[in-house]
Amino acid sequence: MKYEHYSDPSVGIAVDLINAFGTAPRAAAGRGDEPVGDPAEFLRGHGLDDTGVTSADGGAVRHLADQLHTIFTTDDDAAAVEVINRVLVEAGARPRVSGHDGYDWHVHYDAAGAAPLDQLAVTAAMGLAAALCTGGTDRFGRCDGIACRDAYVDASRNNRRRFCSDGCANRAHVTAHRARRRKDAPQ
């Protein structure tokens, strides 16, 4: 999936989490309500620690994805802030400065030694917090594509994005074009 980041790759992690494990986007798109994939694989794929995480943690990951998804269904900034703050408290967020693996000093928002799923929760929530503080809930959207309700964060200059990816946009435009041609075709 292609998405645009604000200034933090954590936004992409949050969007991917919601789209892969969230119940509502999958059900709305007619793809069932079961999460796709393995939580440990998801963590590894996003450069996060997966120590001790198994497929049995799918329920906890789905719960987190569903909590964060509610931010994409409201236009109330205060309600979105409440969700983000709740996730951060539940995951035990504790900002700290860190320098590791050849990276310059940077801020981690999870407690030192936090469990991988808590790290995921804090990373995703902080990414959405940064996007919310930058552009408000107007920047959070759900795809208008046919059979897709995936979440996205709109980083476009004019805030007019309607699709999660170029693929969904292309399918919708082709479908609309074909419908116009059928309508205009002689009978």
Side-chain angles (χ1 to χ4, degrees):
M1 170 191 298
K2 180 180 177 187
Y3 49 77
E4 295 175 298
H5 298 276
Y6 265 76
S7 60
D8 189 335
S10 300
V11 172
I13 291 171
V15 168
D16 286 350
L17 172 71
I18 291 164
N19 293 338
F21 291 93
T23 303
R26 298 190 54 70
R31 296 180 294 195
D33 64 356
E34 289 300 314
V36 173
D38 175 38
E41 186 177 310
F42 180 87
L43 291 168
R44 278 191 307 276
H46 287 83
L48 300 172
D49 179 23
D50 69 331
T51 305
V53 176
T54 68
S55 58
D57 293 310
V61 174
R62 180 175 13 179
H63 175 71
L64 172 60
D66 287 344
Q67 281 183 294
L68 295 175
H69 181 261
T70 63
I71 296 167
F72 289 79
T73 62
T74 184
D75 57 2
D76 181 356
D77 288 359
V81 166
E82 186 178 318
V83 170
I84 291 170
N85 285 338
R86 184 173 357 112
V87 169
L88 291 171
V89 167
E90 288 173 1
R94 294 188 65 181
R96 61 189 168 87
V97 176
S98 179
H100 58 85
D101 300 326
Y103 291 104
D104 290 335
W105 295 114
H106 57 280
V107 177
H108 281 264
Y109 295 96
D110 52 12
L117 294 184
D118 288 336
Q119 292 174 8
L120 174 62
V122 171
T123 299
M126 286 306 300
L128 293 177
L132 178 70
C133 291
T134 303
T137 55
D138 290 345
R139 293 294 178 162
F140 298 135
R142 293 186 309 160
C143 186
D144 283 348
I146 301 163
C148 183
R149 293 295 172 260
D150 281 355
Y152 63 85
V153 175
D154 185 353
S156 68
R157 186 177 294 188
N158 63 3
N159 195 26
R160 305 284 260 175
R161 186 172 173 181
R162 294 181 23 225
F163 302 98
C164 68
S165 66
D166 290 340
C168 279
N170 289 340
R171 280 187 290 282
H173 294 139
V174 166
T175 300
H177 173 74
R178 288 179 179 160
R180 284 190 305 274
R181 286 188 59 173
R182 277 193 300 274
K183 179 182 163 209
D184 294 341
Q187 304 267 337

